[in-house]
Amino acid sequence: MSLGVESPWLLTALPLALLPLINKGMRDHAHPGLLLLPSDPLSDLLSWLLRVFAMLAMAGLILGMAGLHLQGQSVERIGHGAEIVLLLDRSNSMDNSFAGRAPNGNNGEESKAAAARRLLTDFVNQREHDLIGVAEYSTAPLYVMPMTENKAAVKAAIAATSTPALAYTHVSKGLGMALSFFQQPVVTGSRLIVLVSDGAAAIDHDSEQKLRQWFKEKQVRLYWLFLRTANSPGIYDPPADPRDDNAQAMPERYLHQFFTSLAIPYQAYQAESPDAMKQAIADISRLENLPIHYFERIPRRDLTGICYLASAILLLLLLAAKGAEVKPEA
């Protein structure tokens, strides 16, 4: 680890810490009998220790004022896991239960968004070495948390999705933002996007082409947790009327077909209850556990408190020594 200071100009005062070498801080008393005493190595050692304590106390004060700290750094880590982006749907319908109504606390119902937060938090707790980022989408994509190994920060980002939902579902923009999290060209372990949504929207031709290109370039796997509302069309259900077999009438079905056509590792889970969603997340956790090589970012550590504390202890010892000094008789 490398050291740094906030105010380097204060380091010019460090030579002042050498002053105890010139003046030991103890009063000399002339006495003819001292010449008759034998050499006292212990007293000489104590005298030099007091000088060293004084030098260290002054140096600690100067370094504290200069803002001494350990600089942040990246530490190489090797483990088993994946690079994961959690992409969460924040449309209004996610605030309803799987039954398609506002949650009623009396019967223990929870919204699909609340169930997703709870189960994804458990998922993060189980993934020791993953790099995880969080994004949301509704009318527009929302950048929540960059890729990080800090699990506390990831869980806080997931909890922050409890804010009121917005109106629409623009899944193509959300996927575009999720793919932008993967910047490094070298893939270690596996890369995946976990899309959590209870609906979909038609994707225009230009967006389809871009998504095909980005998924291929970044070598990203895709998991779709489709939270199906009761009595709503599923991603596998053909329409009853052939005239409804289009992306506007059945966006979830056509989004699933688009994902299948990407020629990437893709798996869809149609969950109709919190328990089914829990099983899907457990399945993803089991499948994605390859060796991963990454760098953990260690933040800067402030050392000014340690400097001041050490100086205070040394000054107290010097004061105690000064208090024990023999006073000459008048």
Side-chain angles (χ1 to χ4, degrees):
M1 290 188 176
S2 55
L3 296 172
V5 291
E6 290 286 351
S7 305
W9 63 272
L10 285 173
L11 297 181
T12 59
L14 276 177
L16 295 175
L18 300 176
L19 288 176
L21 294 177
I22 302 173
N23 187 344
K24 63 182 178 181
M26 292 292 179
R27 187 180 306 169
D28 290 328
H29 305 289
H31 194 284
L34 293 176
L35 298 176
L36 301 175
L37 295 176
S39 177
D40 187 357
L42 181 60
S43 296
D44 293 338
L45 176 62
L46 181 59
S47 176
W48 278 104
L49 278 178
L50 292 176
R51 294 188 184 194
V52 171
F53 287 172
M55 294 167 62
L56 292 176
M58 294 178 67
L61 291 174
I62 294 170
L63 291 174
M65 291 186 293
L68 184 68
H69 59 265
L70 285 174
Q71 295 180 346
Q73 61 175 331
S74 295
V75 178
E76 186 177 8
R77 303 292 190 197
I78 299 176
H80 285 77
E83 297 178 49
I84 304 173
V85 174
L86 304 177
L87 180 59
L88 310 180
D89 181 359
R90 288 302 296 134
S91 57
N92 281 329
S93 58
M94 286 290 289
D95 286 341
N96 293 329
S97 68
F98 282 89
R101 57 177 179 261
N104 186 344
N106 295 329
N107 56 15
E109 278 188 336
E110 63 179 341
S111 69
K112 286 171 282 187
R117 287 193 297 273
R118 174 172 57 83
L119 295 174
L120 289 175
T121 299
D122 292 340
F123 172 75
V124 171
N125 287 331
Q126 298 166 7
R127 307 290 295 187
E128 184 177 355
H129 298 295
D130 289 335
L131 296 174
I132 302 178
V134 182
E136 301 177 351
Y137 71 95
S138 182
T139 307
L142 302 173
Y143 191 96
V144 181
M145 173 66 64
M147 201 82 74
T148 178
E149 72 286 343
N150 188 326
K151 299 304 182 287
V154 173
K155 289 187 285 186
I158 293 173
T161 62
S162 60
T163 54
L166 302 175
Y168 303 107
T169 301
H170 207 317
V171 65
S172 61
K173 289 185 177 180
L175 286 169
M177 172 168 284
L179 286 165
S180 71
F181 280 57
F182 303 102
Q183 297 294 335
Q184 300 298 327
V186 179
V187 178
T188 58
S190 56
R191 290 176 160 183
L192 57 140
I193 294 175
V194 178
L195 169 63
V196 182
S197 171
D198 68 340
I203 300 179
D204 61 86
H205 178 73
D206 289 342
S207 297
E208 282 189 0
Q209 294 303 111
K210 291 179 181 178
L211 290 174
R212 289 184 190 277
Q213 177 185 350
W214 293 339
F215 270 106
K216 182 178 179 181
E217 289 177 352
K218 297 178 181 294
Q219 305 177 48
V220 177
R221 304 167 185 255
L222 177 61
Y223 292 91
W224 183 16
L225 272 65
F226 174 57
L227 310 184
R228 183 182 181 183
T229 304
N231 301 319
S232 67
I235 59 178
Y236 308 110
D237 300 336
D241 187 340
R243 291 173 297 181
D244 292 333
D245 195 2
N246 57 73
Q248 277 66 38
M250 304 195 72
E252 293 81 14
R253 170 179 164 84
Y254 272 78
L255 183 62
H256 171 60
Q257 292 178 358
F258 168 66
F259 289 159
T260 304
S261 70
L262 288 174
I264 63 170
Y266 164 64
Q267 179 67 50
Y269 296 90
Q270 185 167 274
E272 301 179 4
S273 68
D275 288 339
M277 184 181 176
K278 181 179 181 180
Q279 293 175 4
I281 291 176
D283 190 47
I284 295 173
S285 182
R286 177 181 58 82
L287 292 173
E288 299 296 341
N289 199 30
L290 297 176
I292 185 173
H293 176 278
Y294 64 97
F295 287 88
E296 179 183 356
R297 183 65 181 173
I298 298 179
R300 192 181 82 170
R301 181 185 175 190
D302 185 23
L303 298 178
T304 57
I306 296 176
C307 291
Y308 289 137
L309 177 61
S311 294
I313 293 173
L314 292 172
L315 288 173
L316 287 175
L317 291 175
L318 292 171
L319 286 174
K322 188 66 176 177
E325 183 180 5
V326 175
K327 305 296 189 297
E329 295 181 0

